[in-house]
C-alpha cells in the first residue's frame, strides 16, 4: 500500500530554502551593518594610538633602555655636552647589569650617591603644572634633562683595587699598572697634565669613576672630599651607555675600551726627600767608617811591631 503524502509537506518543502536564505541573509546583512557601524575614523583612533605609544615608552624606559641627555662637557669628546654644542642623547641599557657588574672602561649612568649630591643646590621647579608635566615627559624620552641627579662617567677601577695618579708619564695607576686611556680629552693640548692624587683603595661593591675630559670633570677624585667617599656604589648604577641616538650626525656606539687590559707595570718613585735618604745615609756613615778603618789599621801596625 502506498502511503499518502501530506499536502502540507509538499507546500512547505519548497519554501524552506527561501526562508533559510532570508534568515541567513538577514543575519549576514545585520552582521555587515554592525561591522560598518563599529568602524572608527583615523582621528578617533589617533589619541588611543598615542596613549598606547606613551605607555610602551614608559615601560621600555623603566625596565629595558632609557634615553638620557648629556648636560655637561665632562665626557668630551666621547659624549658631547658642551655649552656651545648640541648635547648628545644616549641610549642606556638597563638590563646588562642585572646579570653582571660594571667593568673598567664601561661608560655608565648612575644616580648620584649622597656624597655627590648633599652639597648641590636642588633644581628650581616651575609652579606651572603644565610646564612640569611637559618637562617630565621630555625627560622621559630624553629631550630634557632628568629631574633626578644622574651622572655619566667611565669606570676606572672596581672594588678592592687601588687607584692613584700619576706615574712619570702622567698616567693613572691601578694596582701598580699604568692605564691605557686613548679616550682622554685634553682641553689644552699643550698642557697634558693630570692633577695627582694619593692612592685610594676602592671599597668593595663600589666603583672609581672619572670623566674622559680629565681636567674638567667633578668625579671620584673630588666628590665627597675624594678618597673612598668619591667611589660610587654599584647599586646606584642605572645602566650602561650603549649608543648615541641624537643628533643624527653623531649616531654610533660608545667606546668601552678597557684601560686595564693593556696596562703596563710601573716602578713608583718615592718622594724626593725619600729618594735622598740613601745618599744622606752614605755621607753620614762615611766619616765614622773612615775613622774606624784608620784606627783599626793603626792598631794592626802596632801589633805587628811588637811581634818583631
Amino acid at each position: 500500500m502506498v502511503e499518502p503524502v501530506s499536502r502540507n509537506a509538499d507546500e512547505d518543502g519548497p519554501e524552506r530554502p527561501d526562508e533559510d536564505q532570508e534568515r541567513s541573509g538577514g543575519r549576514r546583512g545585520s552582521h555587515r551593518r554592525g561591522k560598518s557601524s563599529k568602524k572608527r575614523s583615523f582621528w578617533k583612533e589617533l589619541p588611543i594610538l598615542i596613549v598606547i605609544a606613551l605607555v610602551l615608552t614608559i615601560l621600555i624606559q623603566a625596565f629595558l633602555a632609557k634615553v638620557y641627555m648629556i648636560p655637561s662637557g665632562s665626557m668630551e669628546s666621547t659624549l658631547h655636552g658642551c655649552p656651545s654644542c648640541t648635547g648628545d642623547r644616549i641610549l642606556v641599557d638597563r638590563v646588562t647589569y642585572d646579570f653582571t657588574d660594571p667593568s673598567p672602561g664601561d661608560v655608565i649612568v648612575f644616580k648620584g650617591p649622597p656624597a655627590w649630591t648633599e652639597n648641590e643646590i636642588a633644581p628650581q621647579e616651575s609652579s606651572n603644572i603644565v610646564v612640569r608635566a611637559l618637562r617630565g615627559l621630555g625627560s622621559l624620552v630624553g629631550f630634557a634633562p632628568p629631574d633626578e641627579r644622574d651622572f655619566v662617567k667611565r669606570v676606572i677601577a672596581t672594588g678592592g683595587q687601588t687607584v692613584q695618579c700619576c706615574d712619570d708619564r702622567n698616567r693613572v695607576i691601578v694596582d701598580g699598572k699604568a692605564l691605557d686611556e686613548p679616550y682622554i680629552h685634553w682641553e689644552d693640548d699643550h698642557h697634558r697634565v693630570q692633577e695627582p692624587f694619593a692612592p685610594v683603595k676602592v671599597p668593595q661593591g663600589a666603583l672609581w669613576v672619572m670623566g674622559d675630559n680629565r681636567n674638567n670633570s667633578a668625579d671620584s677624585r673630588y666628590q665627597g672630599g675624594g678618597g673612598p667617599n668619591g667611589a660610587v656604589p654599584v647599586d646606584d648604577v642605572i645602566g650602561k651607555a650603549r649608543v648615541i641616538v641624537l643628533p643624527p650626525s653623531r649616531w654610533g656606539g660608545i667606546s668601552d675600551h678597557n684601560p686595564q687590559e693593556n696596562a703596563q707595570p710601573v716602578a713608583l718613585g718615592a718622594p724626593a726627600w725619600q729618594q735622598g735618604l740613601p745618599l744622606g745615609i752614605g755621607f753620614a756613615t762615611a766619616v765614622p767608617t773612615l775613622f774606624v778603618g784608620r784606627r783599626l789599621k793603626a792598631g794592626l801596625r802596632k801589633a805587628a811591631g811588637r811581634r818583631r
Side-chain angles (χ1 to χ4, degrees), residues 43-256:
W43 297 110
K44 288 183 178 178
E45 292 184 347
L46 182 60
I48 299 174
L49 294 175
I50 292 174
V51 171
I52 292 174
L54 288 175
V55 170
L56 290 176
T57 299
I58 293 171
L59 292 176
I60 290 172
Q61 297 212 65
F63 299 104
L64 300 179
K66 185 173 181 178
V67 176
Y68 279 84
M69 176 181 175
I70 303 302
S72 72
S74 67
M75 284 297 292
E76 294 282 344
S77 58
T78 303
L79 301 175
H80 281 188
C82 55
S84 59
C85 64
T86 301
D88 286 346
R89 271 70 171 179
I90 58 174
L91 186 67
V92 176
D93 171 6
R94 304 188 67 145
V95 178
T96 295
Y97 296 141
D98 289 338
F99 305 97
T100 184
D101 287 335
S103 302
D106 289 358
V107 177
I108 61 171
V109 172
F110 56 94
K111 191 176 296 295
W116 288 55
T117 59
E118 60 186 0
N119 295 324
E120 288 194 1
I121 300 173
Q124 296 295 322
E125 289 289 342
S126 172
S127 57
N128 189 316
I129 189 172
V130 176
V131 173
R132 289 205 305 270
L134 291 175
R135 189 182 186 283
L137 181 61
S139 169
L140 184 65
V141 295
F143 285 96
D147 291 332
E148 62 270 22
R149 299 171 191 177
D150 298 336
F151 298 82
V152 56
K153 304 290 179 188
R154 190 182 295 272
V155 178
I156 301 299
T158 57
Q161 294 187 313
T162 299
V163 57
Q164 67 185 100
C165 185
C166 296
D167 70 350
D168 57 359
R169 293 174 56 186
N170 193 45
R171 297 175 297 182
V172 173
I173 301 163
V174 173
D175 288 344
K177 294 183 178 181
L179 301 184
D180 171 36
E181 298 189 275
Y183 43 73
I184 291 181
H185 173 73
W186 303 103
E187 291 189 339
D188 184 354
D189 200 49
H190 300 289
H191 187 66
R192 298 187 168 208
V193 178
Q194 301 188 64
E195 184 173 339
F197 59 91
V200 178
K201 186 169 184 179
V202 183
Q204 292 293 342
L207 306 167
W208 185 268
V209 297
M210 298 172 72
D212 289 357
N213 190 356
R214 195 54 51 88
N215 291 333
N216 187 22
S217 174
D219 47 42
S220 292
R221 297 171 292 175
Y222 310 108
Q223 298 287 357
N229 288 337
V232 175
V234 173
D235 292 341
D236 289 341
V237 176
I238 295 172
K240 180 177 181 179
R242 291 284 190 183
V243 181
I244 299 172
V245 294
L246 285 174
S249 60
R250 285 181 49 77
W251 282 349
I254 297 171
S255 164
D256 57 358

